[in-house]
Amino acid sequence: MSRTFRIVTTLAAAFLALFARSSSTAEPARAPVPDIFPAIPEVRAEHGVADVVLHVVLDPVSGYPAFSWNARLGVVPTIRVRPGDAIAMTVSNDMRPFAGRPDDVNVHFHGLTVSPNAPGDDALTTLAHPGETLHYRVVIPPDHEPGLYWYHPHAHGETYYDVTNGMSGAIVVEGIQQHLPALASMRERVIVLRDVPTGPGFVDDDMPMNGMAGMTRPTAIVRSGTGPPCRPEKGLQPTLNRQADAHVGIAPGEAQFFRVVNASAARYYDLSVDDAMLHVVAIDGVPLDAYPGTAAVRTVQHVLVPPAGRAEFVVTAPNHATVLRSSCVDTGPLGDANPAVVLAHLVDPVSASAPAVSSVTPSLPTLRVVGAPLPRNVLSRALPRPAARRTIRFTEDERGFYIDGKAFAMDGPPAIVARSGTVEEWTIENATDESHDFHIHQVHFVTESVNGARVAERNWADTVDVPRRTRTRDGRTVPGRVRLLIDFRDPVVRGTFVYHCHILDHEDRGMMARIRVI
C-alpha cells in the first residue's frame, strides 16, 4: 500500500466519522457569517520571496524594545511562504544606547529546518547594536514540512524582555492541505498567544537584581517567584492576537482550523474548548502523519502547549456560545503561576433574526488524493539506530540556571559535536523543583518516554516539557526525565546553534548551550 493511499484512507475514515452529515438532514438557510476575529496582517511571498522590514523602537508604555512594522508600533505580521521560498527580513535597530535597558536585537526563525549560518537563522553571531541593521535571507527547503512556525528576538540576556513585550510573529509554511485536504474548506485562524505587560517596568523574579549585560533591574515586580499553582499573576495579561477579551465568530456546527503559537516568554497554556473536542493535526509545525505510522488526526479534550510550542487543530462549534480556555498548569513549587484563563469567546455572529440552528455538522468536500505527493524528507523516513546517547542535566540555584553544571557564555565552545546524517538519543534530566521547557534550534525530535513511561502516540516536536524532580517516601529525589530521538539527518543544519530552556528568563540566566553539527 503506498504512503499516499494509506494517508488518504486514514484521513477519510477519521474525517468522515467526525464531520460527515447525514443526507436525510436538511439544514436551514443561514445568513452569511461576518468575521469578528482579531486578525493579524500578513506578508505573503511574491516571486518566491517574502520581504519583511521591521524596526526596533522604544515602547513608551513598557519602556522596553518593540517591533514597528509599516510605522505601526507593536504590529508584527504573519509571514506566509511555500516550501522553496525565502524570507528576506531587514531589522533596523532604531534604539539609542541607554544604560540599564536592553538595546541589542537579532531574530530567530523558530522551528524552521534551515541553515544556522548567516545570513540565515544565526542566533549566535548575528546581532544589531543601536543604529545597526540586519539583513536575513532564510531559505525554506523545497521538501520542508508545512505548518506553523514563528520568529522572535534571541539576543542573549535580553530575550525575556523582548518576547514579553510582544516582539514575535507567526510563520506559516503553506501546504498542510496536502496532508489533510478537508482543511482547505475551513476558515483558518492564526492565533498568537502572548503574556503582555499591563504597565511599565515589567520584570521577573528569576532575573537577577543586577541584570544581564549591565542592565539595572526596574523596581516593579510582576511575576511572583514561588507559591501554589493557579495563584493570581499581576502585571502580565494573557492575550490572543493582542486582545485580552477576544471573540471568534463561528457558526453552530462549523469546523474551523485553529493554528496556535504560544509566544509567551514563560507561560504554559493547556488549551481546550468547552463542549467540543480538539482534532489535532500538527504539533510544532509538523503534521502528525509526517512521523511514519502516526495517524493524521488525534482527537483530544485538551492540548498542552509549552512556551514556544505550537498546536494546530480543528474545532467544531457546539450549538451554543462557548470559550477557548487555558486550564491551570502546575509547574512545581518553584514554577510560575500559570493560572486558568478564558482566552476567547466562540460565538455565532449571525443576527438574532437569522433562522435558529439546533444541531448541525459541517459539509466538507469529498476527501481525495491531491495532485502533488506528500513531501518526502528525512522526517518521513524510518529512524536509524542512535549514533550516540547523551544525558543533558538541568539545574539551578540562587545565582542562575545551568546545563550540565555550566551557565551559557557567548564565547564558550560547543558542549556537543554531532555528526550530520545521524540520529542521537538524549535523556534530558530536570534536577529542580520546577518544570523546564527543552528546545533545540534547527531540528525536530521524537519523545520516546516521560519519567520512564513510553510515549505510545509519537510525533515530531521542537519543544517539550521536562517535568520537575520528585521525592520518594524515603526522602530521595528523582530527577524528571524525558528521552528524545533528535534528528540531525538533514544536511542543511550543518553549523553551530543552541539548545536551551524556552522559559526565557531561565535561558537569559544561563540555561543554554551550544551544539555543532559537522
Side-chain angles (χ1 to χ4, degrees):
M1 181 181 295
S2 71
R3 183 171 185 262
T4 301
F5 179 82
R6 175 179 57 79
I7 290 170
V8 172
T9 301
T10 301
L11 298 185
F15 268 80
L16 287 176
L18 291 171
F19 300 128
R21 177 172 48 192
S22 170
S23 60
S24 63
T25 302
E27 178 182 343
R30 292 182 55 81
V33 179
D35 197 358
I36 59 175
F37 179 70
I40 304 170
E42 295 183 343
V43 173
R44 293 177 177 266
E46 296 183 5
H47 308 294
V49 179
D51 285 301
V52 183
V53 178
L54 297 172
H55 292 263
V56 182
V57 298
L58 183 67
D59 185 330
V61 175
S62 70
Y64 284 93
F67 279 142
S68 174
W69 176 73
N70 283 355
R72 300 165 67 184
L73 178 67
V75 176
V76 189
T78 295
I79 302 172
R80 288 187 176 269
V81 290
R82 295 172 296 275
D85 288 345
I87 299 172
M89 180 178 287
T90 300
V91 181
S92 295
N93 188 345
D94 297 340
M95 301 281 290
R96 293 182 178 179
F98 182 81
R101 184 183 64 212
D103 54 20
D104 294 331
V105 72
N106 61 7
V107 174
H108 167 47
F109 299 83
H110 186 117
L112 293 177
T113 302
V114 294
S115 173
N117 304 310
D121 183 28
D122 170 28
L124 284 169
T125 65
T126 300
L127 188 70
H129 304 298
E132 297 178 343
T133 297
L134 302 176
H135 299 280
Y136 290 95
R137 187 173 181 85
V138 178
V139 178
I140 314 298
D143 62 352
H144 200 285
E145 285 291 346
L148 182 64
Y149 305 87
W150 67 301
Y151 60 100
H152 62 85
H154 211 287
H156 182 54
E158 306 179 17
T159 309
Y160 168 80
Y161 297 103
D162 291 344
V163 173
T164 299
N165 211 40
M167 296 177 69
S168 59
I171 301 172
V172 175
V173 178
E174 304 280 20
I176 197 170
Q177 292 80 7
Q178 290 181 270
H179 288 257
L180 199 57
L183 296 175
S185 68
M186 299 179 191
R187 189 173 299 184
E188 180 187 287
R189 306 297 198 184
V190 175
I191 293 173
V192 181
L193 301 179
R194 298 184 178 94
D195 246 5
V196 301
T198 56
F202 68 88
V203 300
D204 166 25
D205 271 2
D206 284 335
M207 295 301 289
M209 291 302 293
N210 295 315
M212 310 302 293
M215 293 184 291
T216 300
R217 178 177 177 170
T219 57
I221 296 177
V222 298
R223 281 182 63 204
S224 57
T226 61
C230 303
R231 62 192 182 274
E233 189 172 47
K234 298 179 181 180
L236 290 174
Q237 172 65 58
T239 63
L240 185 153
N241 295 357
R242 301 195 74 88
Q243 289 194 13
D245 187 28
H247 285 67
V248 179
I250 183 169
E254 180 187 358
Q256 292 190 4
F257 183 30
F258 283 30
R259 315 187 79 168
V260 183
V261 53
N262 182 354
S264 300
R267 188 183 182 114
Y268 284 72
Y269 287 100
D270 188 4
L271 302 178
S272 63
V273 173
D274 288 3
D275 299 322
M277 302 297 287
L278 308 182
H279 308 294
V280 179
V281 300
I283 293 292
D284 287 357
V286 182
L288 297 185
D289 65 347
Y291 185 78
T294 295
V297 181
R298 185 176 299 161
T299 301
V300 298
Q301 290 185 324
H302 64 100
V303 59
L304 179 68
V305 188
R310 285 89 66 214
E312 301 177 67
F313 51 85
V314 173
V315 174
T316 302
N319 60 357
H320 54 80
T322 186
V323 297
L324 171 68
R325 69 171 71 246
S326 175
S327 301
C328 168
V329 180
D330 182 358
T331 56
L334 292 185
D336 297 311
N338 298 304
V341 62
V342 171
L343 297 166
H345 301 272
L346 278 57
V347 298
D348 182 2
V350 174
S351 67
S353 62
V357 178
S358 59
S359 180
V360 295
T361 52
S363 176
L364 297 182
T366 302
L367 295 169
R368 62 192 184 279
V369 178
V370 293
L374 290 174
R376 296 292 298 175
N377 51 35
V378 294
L379 299 185
S380 66
R381 301 173 195 156
L383 292 171
R385 293 177 61 86
R389 288 181 168 85
R390 309 180 192 271
T391 297
I392 314 297
R393 190 172 177 88
F394 287 176
T395 58
E396 63 184 75
D397 59 26
E398 65 278 2
R399 296 184 303 276
F401 295 80
Y402 313 100
I403 293 181
D404 295 332
K406 298 179 180 179
F408 180 77
M410 286 299 296
D411 57 354
I416 292 174
V417 176
R419 292 201 169 273
S420 177
T422 68
V423 169
E424 294 193 356
E425 184 180 76
W426 289 15
T427 299
I428 315 298
E429 290 191 349
N430 179 1
T432 78
D433 289 323
E434 63 178 314
S435 293
H436 292 291
D437 179 24
F438 175 81
H439 168 59
I440 184 168
H441 288 205
Q442 319 308 131
V443 300
H444 280 73
F445 53 76
V446 173
T447 302
E448 290 187 291
S449 64
V450 178
N451 283 342
R454 180 179 178 273
V455 174
E457 296 182 306
R458 296 188 176 185
N459 54 263
W460 294 107
D462 61 51
T463 59
V464 64
D465 175 56
V466 186
R468 64 186 184 274
R469 66 185 178 183
T470 57
R471 288 175 170 80
T472 63
R473 290 184 177 180
D474 60 2
R476 292 181 299 110
T477 59
V478 179
R481 291 187 177 94
V482 296
R483 184 164 292 167
L484 313 173
L485 290 172
I486 302 186
D487 192 349
F488 300 108
R489 291 178 293 174
D490 196 322
V492 75
V493 304
R494 286 193 179 103
T496 301
F497 45 96
V498 293
Y499 55 96
H500 58 86
C501 177
H502 218 288
I503 299 173
L504 294 179
D505 40 329
H506 299 180
E507 172 199 319
D508 280 343
R509 289 197 62 199
M511 196 171 271
M512 183 162 70
R514 279 180 175 80
I515 178 172
R516 178 180 296 155
V517 178
I518 59 175

